[in-house]
Amino acid sequence: MLERTFSIIKPDAVAAGLSGAILAEIDQAGFRFVAIKKESITKREAEGFYAIHSSKPFFSGLTDFMSSGPLYLMVLEKDNAIADLRKLMGATNPANAEEGTIRKKFARSLQENAIHGSDAPETAAFEIGYWF
Ligand code: IDP
Ligand code: MG
């Protein structure tokens, strides 16, 4: 089923000059770029986006990181986009990510893990609406 998902190239990857390589991976995997914008977000915006994690011990560090520099916000479309992007990304902790995944290739740590992707249709709808 044709569906849309929301993705972010996170500040670690943008700062490391990896945006082009990650965009190429997404493109080659068959996603259509419905919308893309480069922005610097505030800590408050990051807190709203990651509200589901507000009780976690890593919340403050995560929202500091996400507001630390420019990132790319994207709406992506393809058949099975949500699950397929999660597969292309790899596990949250790059140490556990499969070979060939974006996080395995480009992420530096559990927190600074290069890319975000929505995990379900409801979160994709919320996240797309939050930024676009
Ligand atoms: P996901 O990005 O693979 O969906 P989530 O569990 O939703 O992973 O966590 C959101 C983000 O929070 C992760 O991508 C990562 O940047 C950060 N994060 C998750 N768990 C930890 C942790 O234990 N320590 C530090 N940062 C974390
Ligand atoms: Mg998540």
Side-chain angles (χ1 to χ4, degrees):
M1 187 189 67
L2 193 64
E3 70 182 4
R4 290 183 177 185
T5 192
F6 174 76
S7 183
I8 301 176
I9 301 178
K10 294 187 179 182
D12 60 311
V14 177
L18 299 170
S19 307
I22 293 172
L23 291 169
E25 296 265 352
I26 294 168
D27 187 42
Q28 282 158 23
F31 291 86
R32 187 171 77 83
F33 292 85
V34 176
I36 180 165
K37 57 183 177 182
K38 188 180 189 188
E39 259 186 34
S40 294
I41 67 170
T42 64
K43 183 169 171 79
R44 190 166 294 256
E45 286 174 316
E47 286 169 348
F49 174 68
Y50 276 125
I52 197 161
H53 293 304
S54 59
S55 64
K56 307 272 173 65
F58 59 81
F59 184 66
S60 182
L62 174 63
T63 52
D64 279 341
F65 161 58
M66 293 299 288
S67 57
S68 68
L71 39 66
Y72 286 87
L73 306 166
M74 302 178 281
V75 180
L76 305 174
E77 184 176 77
K78 77 183 284 294
D79 283 339
N80 208 29
I82 295 168
D84 284 1
L85 182 66
R86 296 290 301 193
K87 198 168 174 201
L88 182 67
M89 287 162 51
T92 306
N93 187 340
N96 303 328
E98 274 186 57
E99 287 300 332
T101 60
I102 289 173
R103 282 170 166 166
K104 182 70 173 190
K105 287 186 193 170
F106 302 117
R108 55 171 75 166
S109 71
L110 172 55
Q111 177 177 273
E112 303 199 359
N113 60 359
I115 187 166
H116 167 87
S118 308
D119 63 5
E122 305 71 45
T123 48
F126 165 74
E127 292 174 356
I128 290 168
Y130 190 85
W131 296 112
F132 289 94

Short mmCIF file of all heavy atoms in Angstrom, two decimals, residues 19-45:
data_model
loop_
_atom_site.label_atom_id
_atom_site.label_comp_id
_atom_site.label_asym_id
_atom_site.label_seq_id
_atom_site.Cartn_x
_atom_site.Cartn_y
_atom_site.Cartn_z
N SER A 19 24.87 14.14 4.66
CA SER A 19 23.49 14.31 4.17
C SER A 19 23.33 13.76 2.77
O SER A 19 22.35 13.06 2.47
CB SER A 19 23.10 15.78 4.17
OG SER A 19 23.32 16.35 5.42
N GLY A 20 24.26 14.08 1.88
CA GLY A 20 24.14 13.63 0.48
C GLY A 20 24.14 12.12 0.38
O GLY A 20 23.33 11.53 -0.36
N ALA A 21 25.02 11.48 1.12
CA ALA A 21 25.10 10.01 1.07
C ALA A 21 23.82 9.38 1.61
O ALA A 21 23.33 8.38 1.07
CB ALA A 21 26.31 9.54 1.88
N ILE A 22 23.25 9.96 2.66
CA ILE A 22 22.02 9.41 3.24
C ILE A 22 20.83 9.66 2.32
O ILE A 22 20.00 8.77 2.10
CB ILE A 22 21.79 9.96 4.66
CG1 ILE A 22 22.90 9.44 5.59
CG2 ILE A 22 20.41 9.59 5.19
CD1 ILE A 22 22.91 10.05 6.98
N LEU A 23 20.76 10.85 1.74
CA LEU A 23 19.69 11.13 0.77
C LEU A 23 19.77 10.17 -0.41
O LEU A 23 18.74 9.69 -0.91
CB LEU A 23 19.77 12.58 0.29
CG LEU A 23 19.41 13.64 1.34
CD1 LEU A 23 19.78 15.03 0.85
CD2 LEU A 23 17.92 13.58 1.68
N ALA A 24 20.99 9.85 -0.86
CA ALA A 24 21.16 8.91 -1.97
C ALA A 24 20.67 7.52 -1.59
O ALA A 24 20.02 6.83 -2.40
CB ALA A 24 22.62 8.87 -2.40
N GLU A 25 20.93 7.09 -0.36
CA GLU A 25 20.45 5.77 0.10
C GLU A 25 18.92 5.72 0.06
O GLU A 25 18.33 4.73 -0.36
CB GLU A 25 20.89 5.52 1.54
CG GLU A 25 22.38 5.42 1.74
CD GLU A 25 22.89 3.99 1.72
OE1 GLU A 25 22.06 3.06 1.71
OE2 GLU A 25 24.12 3.82 1.72
N ILE A 26 18.30 6.80 0.54
CA ILE A 26 16.83 6.85 0.57
C ILE A 26 16.28 6.85 -0.85
O ILE A 26 15.32 6.13 -1.17
CB ILE A 26 16.38 8.11 1.36
CG1 ILE A 26 16.80 7.97 2.84
CG2 ILE A 26 14.88 8.32 1.24
CD1 ILE A 26 16.66 9.28 3.64
N ASP A 27 16.90 7.63 -1.72
CA ASP A 27 16.47 7.72 -3.12
C ASP A 27 16.61 6.35 -3.80
O ASP A 27 15.68 5.86 -4.46
CB ASP A 27 17.34 8.77 -3.81
CG ASP A 27 16.89 9.07 -5.22
OD1 ASP A 27 15.67 9.18 -5.45
OD2 ASP A 27 17.76 9.20 -6.09
N GLN A 28 17.76 5.72 -3.62
CA GLN A 28 18.01 4.43 -4.27
C GLN A 28 17.10 3.33 -3.75
O GLN A 28 16.85 2.34 -4.45
CB GLN A 28 19.49 4.02 -4.09
CG GLN A 28 20.42 4.79 -5.04
CD GLN A 28 21.86 4.83 -4.56
OE1 GLN A 28 22.29 3.97 -3.78
NE2 GLN A 28 22.61 5.82 -5.03
N ALA A 29 16.60 3.49 -2.53
CA ALA A 29 15.67 2.50 -1.96
C ALA A 29 14.25 2.70 -2.48
O ALA A 29 13.35 1.95 -2.10
CB ALA A 29 15.69 2.58 -0.44
N GLY A 30 14.04 3.69 -3.34
CA GLY A 30 12.75 3.83 -4.02
C GLY A 30 11.76 4.78 -3.38
O GLY A 30 10.59 4.81 -3.78
N PHE A 31 12.21 5.57 -2.43
CA PHE A 31 11.31 6.55 -1.81
C PHE A 31 11.19 7.78 -2.70
O PHE A 31 12.18 8.22 -3.32
CB PHE A 31 11.85 6.99 -0.44
CG PHE A 31 11.79 5.90 0.60
CD1 PHE A 31 12.83 4.98 0.73
CD2 PHE A 31 10.69 5.78 1.44
CE1 PHE A 31 12.78 3.97 1.68
CE2 PHE A 31 10.64 4.77 2.40
CZ PHE A 31 11.67 3.86 2.52
N ARG A 32 10.00 8.36 -2.74
CA ARG A 32 9.79 9.65 -3.39
C ARG A 32 9.85 10.74 -2.32
O ARG A 32 9.26 10.58 -1.24
CB ARG A 32 8.41 9.66 -4.07
CG ARG A 32 8.15 10.89 -4.92
CD ARG A 32 6.88 10.72 -5.72
NE ARG A 32 5.68 10.92 -4.92
CZ ARG A 32 5.15 12.10 -4.62
NH1 ARG A 32 5.71 13.21 -5.07
NH2 ARG A 32 4.05 12.18 -3.88
N PHE A 33 10.58 11.81 -2.61
CA PHE A 33 10.68 12.93 -1.67
C PHE A 33 9.47 13.84 -1.89
O PHE A 33 9.43 14.62 -2.82
CB PHE A 33 11.99 13.69 -1.88
CG PHE A 33 13.21 12.90 -1.50
CD1 PHE A 33 13.81 12.03 -2.40
CD2 PHE A 33 13.75 13.00 -0.22
CE1 PHE A 33 14.93 11.28 -2.04
CE2 PHE A 33 14.86 12.25 0.15
CZ PHE A 33 15.45 11.39 -0.76
N VAL A 34 8.49 13.71 -0.99
CA VAL A 34 7.27 14.52 -1.10
C VAL A 34 7.57 15.95 -0.64
O VAL A 34 7.08 16.92 -1.21
CB VAL A 34 6.15 13.91 -0.23
CG1 VAL A 34 4.90 14.79 -0.24
CG2 VAL A 34 5.83 12.49 -0.70
N ALA A 35 8.37 16.08 0.40
CA ALA A 35 8.74 17.38 0.95
C ALA A 35 10.06 17.24 1.69
O ALA A 35 10.33 16.19 2.29
CB ALA A 35 7.66 17.88 1.91
N ILE A 36 10.87 18.28 1.62
CA ILE A 36 12.14 18.26 2.37
C ILE A 36 12.52 19.70 2.70
O ILE A 36 12.36 20.60 1.86
CB ILE A 36 13.25 17.54 1.57
CG1 ILE A 36 14.58 17.51 2.35
CG2 ILE A 36 13.44 18.13 0.18
CD1 ILE A 36 15.58 16.52 1.78
N LYS A 37 12.95 19.92 3.93
CA LYS A 37 13.43 21.25 4.29
C LYS A 37 14.57 21.12 5.30
O LYS A 37 14.56 20.23 6.16
CB LYS A 37 12.31 22.15 4.83
CG LYS A 37 11.55 21.62 6.02
CD LYS A 37 10.41 22.59 6.41
CE LYS A 37 9.60 22.03 7.57
NZ LYS A 37 8.46 22.90 7.95
N LYS A 38 15.54 22.01 5.17
CA LYS A 38 16.66 22.06 6.10
C LYS A 38 16.36 23.15 7.12
O LYS A 38 16.03 24.28 6.74
CB LYS A 38 17.95 22.37 5.36
CG LYS A 38 19.20 22.26 6.22
CD LYS A 38 20.45 22.58 5.41
CE LYS A 38 21.71 22.26 6.20
NZ LYS A 38 22.91 22.75 5.50
N GLU A 39 16.45 22.81 8.38
CA GLU A 39 16.09 23.76 9.45
C GLU A 39 16.95 23.54 10.68
O GLU A 39 17.47 22.43 10.88
CB GLU A 39 14.64 23.52 9.88
CG GLU A 39 13.66 24.50 9.30
CD GLU A 39 12.26 24.32 9.86
OE1 GLU A 39 12.11 23.95 11.04
OE2 GLU A 39 11.32 24.55 9.08
N SER A 40 17.05 24.56 11.50
CA SER A 40 17.54 24.38 12.87
C SER A 40 16.32 24.51 13.77
O SER A 40 15.56 25.47 13.64
CB SER A 40 18.56 25.46 13.22
OG SER A 40 19.72 25.30 12.43
N ILE A 41 16.13 23.55 14.65
CA ILE A 41 14.93 23.56 15.49
C ILE A 41 15.31 23.96 16.91
O ILE A 41 16.46 23.82 17.33
CB ILE A 41 14.22 22.19 15.45
CG1 ILE A 41 15.05 21.09 16.12
CG2 ILE A 41 13.88 21.81 14.02
CD1 ILE A 41 14.29 19.78 16.34
N THR A 42 14.31 24.44 17.65
CA THR A 42 14.56 24.82 19.04
C THR A 42 14.43 23.59 19.95
O THR A 42 13.81 22.58 19.58
CB THR A 42 13.54 25.87 19.51
OG1 THR A 42 12.23 25.27 19.49
CG2 THR A 42 13.55 27.11 18.61
N LYS A 43 14.97 23.72 21.15
CA LYS A 43 14.82 22.63 22.13
C LYS A 43 13.33 22.40 22.42
O LYS A 43 12.89 21.27 22.53
CB LYS A 43 15.59 22.96 23.41
CG LYS A 43 15.53 21.82 24.44
CD LYS A 43 16.50 22.05 25.57
CE LYS A 43 16.32 21.07 26.72
NZ LYS A 43 16.90 19.75 26.48
N ARG A 44 12.56 23.47 22.49
CA ARG A 44 11.13 23.34 22.75
C ARG A 44 10.42 22.56 21.64
O ARG A 44 9.56 21.71 21.89
CB ARG A 44 10.52 24.73 22.90
CG ARG A 44 9.09 24.74 23.41
CD ARG A 44 8.70 26.14 23.87
NE ARG A 44 9.47 26.57 25.02
CZ ARG A 44 8.99 26.59 26.27
NH1 ARG A 44 7.74 26.24 26.51
NH2 ARG A 44 9.73 27.00 27.27
N GLU A 45 10.79 22.84 20.37
CA GLU A 45 10.21 22.08 19.25
C GLU A 45 10.60 20.60 19.33
O GLU A 45 9.78 19.71 19.07
CB GLU A 45 10.69 22.66 17.91
CG GLU A 45 10.04 23.98 17.54
CD GLU A 45 10.64 24.59 16.29
OE1 GLU A 45 11.89 24.61 16.14
OE2 GLU A 45 9.86 25.07 15.44
#
